[in-house]
């Protein structure tokens, strides 16, 4: 009797489980049915049949080689867009479009225009679609594609090393000054680090949003910056606390170096883009300002190690993690990488920096005396960190 009762209870539970799955599947089935009606039946087409098609073309990158202008474009619209004509400096020019002159929604194409462009001068382009819509783009300063020369590539690698690795390593040399610091001094240094990284977080977000403005509107690059930043915070927090306790010492220094490394990759993109457009003066000022920033960031990396005895290889690894990403950043920036990907990189960097700020704040709270972490010394440290980073930014 007991066995039969058990079988009955088991059968009832199985039926309840099946019904639960059925109820969960019903909303999904309804969603599929609704979308099928809208996308396959296309009832809205009759309402918009008399309206002109919505079209948008974004020029994501420009590459100049002798006698040729190459545009990387991305399209969006209510229907595939056909590129009918291209003007350069007011005159229509022959062109080829790869893989096709007809570009679908969110698809990319490369427009190649044979044209005797002049080094150092500005050129104005106009893309005309089959519907008559026009899209303008200006090349402010024409410069030959830097990535075609091996010697130039080596020079850009050296720029990346001077931009990232060298100043971060120089900042790490301050470690002996912090070694065995008193608890009060250590708290001040942690607060100083929060200030340095706080400004870096705001600056990274603003640069990401600025890059996102150049991407195709449909891609929602501005939203991508915020979403990637939030996702980075959550993922890195989960990794950092996977053992049930927050990271300290070398682990925290690694997280700081990682966040700064992603940011330096973005800085490399900015320098490479300036070099690619021939803005040598701008590139020089950017490099000088970023070098000063990175020395301060190297100091920030070394502070969590103050009560440790790290090896030389540890410092070398931290300098490489924080500084070397600037080198591929310069190379990709010179190759005119998509603003969408640039925005994504800055978003990830902002999230990584925010995670470090949270962890250092938690450490400061744990080390705080009975009165709490909000002390005059700590407030002064945060303010000084913000002032140092802002001062170098103004210098740029």
């Amino acid at each position: 009797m007991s066995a039969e009762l058990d079988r009955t209870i088991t059968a009832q539970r199985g039926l309840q489980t099946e019904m639960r799955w059925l109820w969960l599947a019903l909303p999904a089935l309804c969603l599929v049915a609704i979308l099928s009606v809208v996308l396959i039946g296309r009832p809205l087409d009759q309402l918009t049949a008399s309206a002109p098609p919505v079209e948008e073309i974004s020029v994501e990158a420009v590459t100049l080689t002798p006698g040729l202008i190459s545009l990387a474009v991305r399209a969006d619209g209510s229907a595939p867009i056909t590129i009918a004509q291209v003007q350069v400096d007011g005159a229509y020019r022959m062109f080829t479009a790869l893989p096709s002159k007809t570009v679908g929604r969110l698809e990319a194409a490369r427009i190649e225009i044979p044209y005797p462009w002049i080094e150092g001068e500005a050129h104005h382009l106009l893309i005309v679609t089959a519907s008559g819509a026009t899209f303008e783009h200006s090349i402010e300063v024409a410069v030959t594609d830097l990535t075609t020369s091996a010697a130039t590539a080596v020079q850009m690698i050296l720029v990346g090393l001077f931009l990232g690795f060298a100043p971060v390593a120089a900042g790490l040399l301050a470690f002996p000054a912090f070694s065995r610091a008193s608890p009060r001094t250590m708290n001040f240094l942690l607060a100083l680090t929060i200030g340095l990284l706080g400004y870096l977080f705001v600056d990274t977000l603003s640069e990401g949003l600025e890059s996102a403005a150049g991407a195709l509107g449909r891609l929602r690059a501005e939203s991508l910056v915020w979403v990637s930043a939030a996702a980075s915070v959550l993922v890195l927090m989960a990794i950092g606390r996977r053992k049930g306790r927050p990271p300290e010492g070398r682990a925290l220094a690694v997280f700081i170096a990682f966040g700064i490394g992603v940011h330096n990759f973005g800085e490399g993109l900015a320098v490479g883009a300036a070099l690619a457009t021939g803005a040598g003066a701008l590139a020089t000022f950017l490099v000088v300002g970023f070098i000063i920033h990175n020395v301060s960031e190297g100091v920030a990396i070394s502070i969590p190690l103050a009560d440790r005895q790290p090896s030389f290889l540890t410092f070398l690894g931290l300098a490489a993690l924080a500084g070397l990403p600037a080198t591929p950043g310069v190379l990709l920036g010179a190759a005119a990488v998509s603003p969408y990907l640039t925005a994504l990189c800055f978003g990830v960097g902002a999230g990584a920096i925010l995670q470090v700020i949270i962890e250092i704040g938690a450490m400061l709270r744990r080390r705080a005396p009975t009165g709490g972490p909000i002390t005059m010394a700590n407030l002064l440290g945060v303010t000084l960190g913000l002032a140092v980073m802002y001062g170098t930014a103004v210098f740029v």
Side-chain angles (χ1 to χ4, degrees):
M1 186 69 178
S2 177
E4 184 178 351
L5 180 61
D6 290 341
R7 285 194 297 271
T8 302
I9 294 174
T10 302
Q12 290 177 346
R13 289 178 177 173
L15 180 60
Q16 291 175 353
T17 301
E18 292 175 358
M19 291 299 296
R20 186 180 298 112
W21 282 109
L22 176 62
W23 287 114
L24 288 174
L26 281 176
L29 293 174
C30 291
L31 177 61
V32 171
I34 294 170
L35 291 178
S36 298
V37 171
V38 174
L39 298 178
I40 298 176
R42 304 188 70 84
L44 301 180
D45 286 358
Q46 296 179 358
L47 300 176
T48 59
S50 60
V54 177
E55 297 180 341
E56 183 181 359
I57 292 179
S58 172
V59 178
E60 295 187 336
V62 178
T63 304
L64 301 178
T65 52
L68 183 68
I69 299 176
S70 182
L71 307 178
V73 302
R74 192 173 299 275
D76 182 33
S78 55
I81 298 174
T82 299
I83 301 171
Q85 296 175 313
V86 175
Q87 272 189 16
V88 182
D89 294 335
Y92 288 101
R93 307 292 302 188
M94 298 293 293
F95 73 96
T96 57
L98 302 173
S100 171
K101 291 184 179 181
T102 299
V103 188
R105 179 175 178 270
L106 299 184
E107 290 182 354
R110 180 166 291 277
I111 302 174
E112 295 186 344
I113 313 162
Y115 185 75
W117 56 270
I118 302 174
E119 186 91 17
E121 291 194 1
H123 297 282
H124 304 285
L125 297 92
L126 184 72
I127 300 173
V128 185
T129 69
S131 67
T134 58
F135 302 90
E136 297 182 4
H137 184 79
S138 295
I139 302 172
E140 301 298 338
V141 180
V143 179
T144 304
D145 180 21
L146 297 177
T147 60
T148 59
S149 168
T152 304
V154 171
Q155 290 178 335
M156 287 191 292
I157 290 173
L158 292 176
V159 169
L161 292 175
F162 279 106
L163 168 66
F165 180 80
V168 170
L172 287 171
L173 293 176
F175 170 76
F178 309 135
S179 182
R180 299 176 183 175
S182 66
R184 186 174 180 179
T185 302
M186 187 63 185
N187 289 345
F188 173 81
L189 294 174
L190 290 172
L192 175 70
T193 304
I194 291 177
L196 295 172
L197 296 178
Y199 182 88
L200 198 61
F201 168 71
V202 175
D203 186 59
T204 303
L205 271 182
S206 64
E207 290 183 24
L209 294 172
E210 182 179 350
S211 297
L216 198 67
R218 178 77 65 174
L219 294 175
R220 302 291 189 270
E222 292 88 350
S223 300
L224 177 70
V225 174
W226 296 102
V227 171
S228 58
S232 299
V233 172
L234 296 176
V235 170
L236 292 174
M237 289 288 290
I239 294 174
R241 302 198 176 204
R242 66 189 183 279
K243 295 182 180 180
R245 61 179 184 273
E248 294 188 5
R250 182 166 60 180
L252 183 57
V254 168
F255 278 110
I256 296 176
F258 174 77
I260 291 173
V262 179
H263 175 79
N264 281 340
F265 178 80
E267 290 182 343
L269 290 175
V271 172
L275 291 172
T277 57
L282 173 61
T284 300
F285 279 113
L286 286 175
V287 169
V288 171
F290 292 154
I291 286 174
I292 298 173
H293 264 181
N294 284 334
V295 171
S296 304
E297 291 160 10
V299 173
I301 295 171
S302 68
I303 289 174
L305 303 172
D307 55 353
R308 304 292 200 279
Q309 294 296 327
S311 65
F312 173 77
L313 289 178
T314 298
F315 285 115
L316 184 62
L318 291 172
L321 181 60
L324 287 184
T327 300
V330 172
L331 294 172
L332 288 175
V337 69
S338 164
Y340 180 82
L341 296 178
T342 303
L344 174 61
C345 291
F346 276 119
V348 172
I353 293 168
L354 180 58
Q355 179 257 348
V356 173
I357 292 173
I358 293 172
E359 295 294 12
I360 294 178
M363 177 186 290
L364 195 58
R365 186 172 61 252
R366 292 192 302 272
R367 296 173 56 93
T370 308
I374 302 178
T375 65
M376 186 59 68
N378 291 348
L379 291 175
L380 180 60
V382 172
T383 303
L384 181 60
L386 291 170
V388 168
M389 296 298 278
Y390 177 76
T392 56
V394 170
F395 177 77
V396 175

